[in-house]
Amino acid sequence: MFLAIKEIKHEKMRYGLIVFMIFLISYMILATWGLAYGLARENTVALENWQAKSVVLNKNANLSMNSSILTKDDLKKIDLTDQDAVVGEIQVVLKKSGKTGINAQYIGVRKSEFAYKEQKLVSGRKATGKYEVTADESLKNKGYKLGDQVTLNGSSHKYKIVGFVQDAKINIEPIIYGSLANWKKLKNAMPTIAASGVISKRSRSVKGKNYKSYGIKQFIQKLPGYSAQNLTFELMIAFMFIISLMIVGVFLYILTIQKLPNYAVLRAQGVPAKTLVWATISQSLLLTVAGLAIALLAIWGTAAAMPSSAPMAFTGQIFASAIGGMLAMALIGGLIPVKTILKIDPVAAIGG
């Protein structure tokens, strides 16, 4: 460690550039990871708020709530408890006079069930009237406010926004909560149709002629674009880790080659090879820790400045994984020049 610190102090510019490169890569990894998690969360945040563990859908709907239809007879056969909520979902275009239409998900709910009771209001109240709705708070940033009269899919009736709800999004679209009766009207459903599905806080396994239960993870993986989006970000992050390994390894290898005469003198003076190896590895770790520290400060400022339209979110696990991954790459990169150090011949290296 002593030799590592001495070298860094002596060659501030050289090692400063390496720290800067590590900072850039670490920052990009954290930023990409934060955006990936933020976007993934906007696909599923409503399900998380519901604490959903399973869903019951029409077995021919390909795990799509929008495509699923359950009849009144189906609901009678499904054992419903206070851990279950019957919902109807349909994609709508939300519009008010003077505003461009916005894609949203209309969720019809029952007032007696948790999907209605547990809405996290940030302003206003829950919908109680026939043509009243609550909406995700992100719509406030798009010019919508309490009391606005809006149309859904060009409906003849106007719906009044009476409340805004926190984290009400699914498939990256804001949710509009209303009644199941209005869902049926928007869906043009036949009288026998009762809902799109049943959201459950319990893991359950039910199967009927027309319906089937699915685990929430299986349902989420089928959300449009969810799996492809996550896979793309995961590959990007993996490539950045590999790039960081290459940068640290190549820089340290080149520096080691340049320092061979100095290492030969130290070996001739009796300095053991393991001391030189540890100096190289510790140098790699120190440079990476410095770059990571700067990246963490920078990403904190970036996350605070990010607009709501570009969601960036983090968890302790993300930070721990990013830091652990970078340190692992630094350790592996520090081991690349080890073979060269161990093969140093003091006599040959100093011209003997």
Side-chain angles (χ1 to χ4, degrees):
M1 184 70 76
F2 173 77
L3 281 175
I5 295 173
K6 275 287 187 182
E7 284 187 40
I8 292 172
K9 285 183 177 179
H10 184 68
E11 298 283 355
K12 295 183 181 67
M13 179 62 72
R14 179 183 295 178
Y15 289 106
L17 289 173
I18 299 175
V19 169
F20 181 68
M21 291 297 295
I22 293 172
F23 152 70
L24 288 177
I25 294 172
S26 301
Y27 177 82
M28 287 301 299
I29 288 174
L30 287 167
T32 304
W33 213 327
L35 287 170
Y37 176 71
L39 285 171
R41 188 172 179 272
E42 291 212 336
N43 274 286
T44 62
V45 66
L47 297 170
E48 291 174 11
N49 285 341
W50 289 335
Q51 300 173 27
K53 293 184 178 178
S54 64
V55 296
V56 180
L57 302 172
N58 187 296
K59 62 169 60 176
N60 298 314
N62 195 27
L63 273 84
S64 169
M65 185 81 77
N66 265 314
S67 302
S68 176
I69 287 177
L70 296 181
T71 66
K72 293 177 181 178
D73 287 339
D74 291 334
L75 291 183
K76 288 178 183 178
K77 296 172 185 176
I78 300 171
D79 180 28
L80 298 176
T81 70
D82 60 358
Q83 296 293 298
D84 304 307
V86 177
V87 299
E89 180 181 0
I90 182 173
Q91 187 173 41
V92 296
V93 175
L94 172 77
K95 190 174 183 180
K96 76 170 183 177
S97 178
K99 289 286 183 181
T100 304
I102 297 173
N103 288 335
Q105 296 289 336
Y106 182 93
I107 303 284
V109 295
R110 291 175 172 177
K111 295 178 184 177
S112 59
E113 297 173 343
F114 70 79
Y116 175 85
K117 293 179 179 178
E118 297 179 9
Q119 292 177 27
K120 298 179 180 178
L121 289 170
V122 293
S123 60
R125 59 176 175 82
K126 295 176 185 177
T128 55
K130 187 175 181 181
Y131 292 106
E132 292 182 343
V133 295
T134 55
D136 179 64
E137 63 178 332
S138 64
L139 292 177
K140 291 196 291 185
N141 298 325
K142 298 178 180 179
Y144 290 83
K145 59 184 184 299
L146 291 176
D148 278 350
Q149 300 283 337
V150 299
T151 59
L152 304 176
N153 287 349
S155 56
S156 56
H157 289 285
K158 289 195 173 182
Y159 295 78
K160 182 180 180 181
I161 298 177
V162 296
F164 286 104
V165 186
Q166 181 183 6
D167 291 336
K169 285 187 177 180
I170 191 166
N171 203 26
I172 318 183
E173 291 184 345
I175 288 175
I176 310 296
Y177 285 112
S179 68
L180 269 174
N182 284 333
W183 168 79
K184 292 179 185 179
K185 291 179 181 179
L186 292 168
K187 192 85 171 177
N188 292 321
M190 294 184 294
T192 55
I193 303 304
S196 295
V198 177
I199 303 293
S200 182
K201 289 187 176 184
R202 52 181 175 148
S203 298
R204 60 184 308 183
S205 179
V206 296
K207 189 174 183 180
K209 181 181 178 181
N210 301 314
Y211 59 86
K212 183 180 177 181
S213 62
Y214 303 91
I216 199 64
K217 289 184 179 179
Q218 187 180 4
F219 174 72
I220 288 172
Q221 289 300 319
K222 276 289 190 176
L223 290 173
Y226 181 83
S227 297
Q229 170 191 295
N230 284 354
L231 180 60
T232 301
F233 278 114
E234 286 168 4
L235 288 173
M236 289 171 63
I237 293 167
F239 283 131
M240 280 187 265
F241 273 124
I242 293 171
I243 292 169
S244 71
L245 169 62
M246 293 174 62
I247 287 176
V248 173
V250 169
F251 268 103
L252 288 178
Y253 183 78
I254 292 172
L255 291 174
T256 300
I257 295 299
Q258 292 175 344
K259 294 182 293 187
L260 282 180
N262 297 330
Y263 281 172
V265 171
L266 291 172
R267 292 286 286 114
Q269 291 176 342
V271 176
K274 67 179 182 180
T275 300
L276 301 180
V277 169
W278 172 240
T280 301
I281 294 173
S282 59
Q283 191 175 80
S284 173
L285 292 172
L286 283 172
L287 295 173
T288 302
V289 168
L292 269 171
I294 301 170
L296 287 170
L297 289 173
I299 205 67
W300 177 80
T302 302
M306 270 285 183
S308 58
S309 57
M312 179 180 283
F314 296 94
T315 63
Q317 186 177 358
I318 290 176
F319 285 121
S321 298
I323 293 170
M326 285 300 296
L327 290 177
M329 295 301 103
L331 181 60
I332 296 170
L335 291 172
I336 291 175
V338 166
K339 187 176 180 180
T340 303
I341 295 172
L342 292 175
K343 291 173 68 175
I344 289 175
D345 181 356
V347 176
I350 60 178

